[in-house]
Amino acid sequence: MSTAHKQSLLKQPVTVWAVAFASVVAFMGIGLVDPILNSIATDLQASPVQTELLFTSYLAVTGVVMFFSSWVSSRIGAKMTLLIGLAVIVAFALACSLSGTVDLVIGFRAGWGLGNALFISTALATIVGAAAGGSEAAIILYEAALGVGIAIGPLLGGLLGHLYGWRGPFAGVAILMAVAFIAIITMLRGDVEKPKPVSIGAPFRALAQPALGLLAIAALFYNMGFFILLAFSPLVLSALGIETMQMGYVFFGWGLALAITSVWLAPRLLERFRRTTVLITTFVLLAIDLAAGALAIQSSTGLIAVIVVGGLLLGIVNTTLTEAVMEATDLPRAVASSSYSGVRFLGGAAAPPLAAALAGVAGDWLPYVFAGVVVIIAALVLVFGRSRLTRVDMRGADTVEEAEAVAIGDAN
């Protein structure tokens, strides 16, 4: 990056920093509950399946709403969609902190997913509309916010959980998002330009296109493996004696690894190799890593290594897969991203309770084996469908729209 671009990156309007701050906090919600899962289960007498539903309710609603996010923002504007998303997150994060039963927490996490879907689908557009120094500076700011949020979420969850119990992280996010809401509503002047209105059924029709449909299927299976690693591992580590604060450090390492490869390593790999080659290869490596998790199931050190290595691989896949989706079709990229992200989040939603159920059948090793198998299925979908994915390996994607798709698709 040139010196001029570096300077423009730092010399941004206050409105840009307000939205970037809100983006960091929003992305914290992805891994926030990892360190406090065991505390919630113990305090609210929740079964493993109920505990895993804390992820499922959040992801399922996020996935469903993603199908409609482009339709909503194209009609009421990015700023209003952004503020509604923030307000919903504040309300439901606070409700989670005040809940007295695990069923209430599960339900309120679902409401949180609604707000999260609305927010993350519009935040980049808001930053691009307000940023100084062109689109490149705006994109870097947003990707930095995404990476910082994913990494800090588990660390904040572990710290507040250690100090104040499992209610602390939820209350902390509610407070931070309230501050972000006030900052945006007072500092963000006007509105970004509304996009052309899109049909409410456009994301569903998009899945009928062979290339996009294949990538969505691959993403569904991949995300099942992703969220088994993310959502089930805290239960295993807790059983091995890892405490709340230590759990925060573990998943901070996971998030940091994911952010580094997503922002820095994946683009460099894509300069040298075809997108499908990068995806298939990384899927195989991820399956091997998950299989190693099954073998290391009695070793906290071994499992922590598997989690961090998994983060490195997940970052590569997230960026590459979403770029591939954007090159798969002539449809408006907001529509393609909406349909792909919806399917992908729903795959993630199914994984956590399924992992808990499998562990109850044969032991904690089985979910990792299952995760490895579904990731291999994702690789096979691309291998056998490669003849329909020729366009995916072409270059020349529009940078701004591509980054927006990465931001929307990777916030899971």
Side-chain angles (χ1 to χ4, degrees):
M1 192 180 198
S2 68
T3 302
H5 279 138
K6 288 179 180 178
Q7 291 175 345
S8 67
L9 179 64
L10 297 176
K11 295 180 179 179
Q12 296 295 334
V14 176
T15 56
V16 171
W17 294 116
V19 177
F21 168 71
S23 299
V24 170
V25 181
F27 290 124
M28 287 180 186
I30 296 173
L32 180 81
V33 300
D34 272 9
I36 57 173
L37 284 178
N38 190 58
S39 298
I40 294 174
T42 300
D43 193 25
L44 299 181
Q45 298 180 333
S47 68
V49 172
Q50 286 178 310
T51 304
E52 294 295 270
L53 285 174
L54 293 170
F55 281 96
T56 293
S57 62
Y58 172 83
L59 294 170
V61 173
T62 298
V64 172
V65 174
M66 276 289 186
F67 283 113
F68 306 101
S69 61
S70 60
W71 177 78
V72 172
S73 63
S74 72
R75 280 161 173 77
I76 67 174
K79 180 180 177 181
M80 184 58 66
T81 307
L82 183 70
L83 291 173
I84 290 172
L86 286 170
V88 170
I89 293 173
V90 170
F92 284 101
L94 183 60
C96 284
S97 72
L98 300 175
S99 297
T101 69
V102 69
D103 290 335
L104 283 175
V105 181
I106 291 169
F108 290 139
R109 277 282 284 177
W112 189 335
L114 166 63
N116 198 57
L118 293 174
F119 177 83
I120 64 177
S121 65
T122 54
L124 177 63
T126 307
I127 290 178
V128 170
S135 61
E136 182 180 354
I139 291 165
I140 292 172
L141 276 172
Y142 192 82
E143 289 184 344
L146 186 152
V148 170
I150 286 177
I152 292 180
L155 192 62
L156 179 67
L159 177 61
L160 294 179
H162 176 72
L163 294 175
Y164 305 109
W166 63 266
R167 300 178 190 275
F170 293 131
V173 167
I175 293 170
L176 288 172
M177 292 306 278
V179 172
F181 180 91
I182 294 170
I184 288 174
I185 202 170
T186 56
M187 298 177 187
L188 186 59
R189 303 299 182 185
D191 200 351
V192 295
E193 181 181 354
K194 290 184 182 180
K196 181 180 178 181
V198 300
S199 166
I200 195 170
F204 300 99
R205 291 193 296 271
L207 294 172
Q209 298 201 6
L212 187 60
L214 282 169
L215 291 169
I217 292 170
L220 184 146
F221 285 110
Y222 155 70
N223 237 34
M224 293 179 73
F226 180 116
F227 276 96
I228 286 176
L229 182 67
L230 175 62
F232 182 69
S233 296
L235 299 182
V236 181
L237 289 175
S238 292
L240 294 174
I242 300 298
E243 298 179 350
T244 300
M245 193 65 241
Q246 294 172 314
M247 196 83 70
Y249 289 130
V250 170
F251 283 94
F252 171 75
W254 166 85
L256 187 61
L258 187 151
I260 288 171
T261 54
S262 179
V263 175
W264 285 289
L265 180 57
R268 284 161 176 75
L269 291 174
L270 294 172
E271 289 173 357
R272 302 188 59 182
F273 304 102
R274 294 188 297 176
R275 292 186 179 103
T276 53
T277 299
V278 173
L279 284 172
I280 292 167
T281 302
T282 311
F283 280 152
V284 172
L285 293 174
L286 179 59
I288 293 172
D289 183 59
L290 290 165
L295 296 175
I297 204 65
Q298 297 298 326
S299 168
S300 59
T301 301
L303 192 56
I304 289 170
V306 165
I307 291 168
V308 175
V309 171
L312 294 170
L313 299 171
L314 296 172
I316 297 171
V317 173
N318 285 350
T319 298
T320 308
L321 184 57
T322 313
E323 280 195 16
V325 168
M326 294 306 99
E327 293 305 303
T329 175
D330 286 323
L331 291 169
R333 295 187 175 182
V335 173
S337 178
S338 178
S339 61
Y340 151 77
S341 297
V343 172
R344 183 175 175 180
F345 271 96
L346 292 177
L354 180 59
L358 289 172
V361 171
D364 289 345
W365 60 272
L366 184 57
Y368 292 93
V369 172
F370 176 80
V373 170
V374 294
V375 171
I376 288 294
I377 292 174
L380 293 174
V381 168
L382 298 186
V383 169
F384 290 107
R386 206 166 190 176
S387 62
R388 294 179 177 268
L389 298 172
T390 304
R391 175 173 173 158
V392 166
D393 290 318
M394 296 173 62
R395 290 293 179 255
D398 178 83
T399 305
V400 176
E401 292 182 1
E402 177 181 288
E404 180 177 8
V406 170
I408 294 174
D410 288 357
N412 60 68

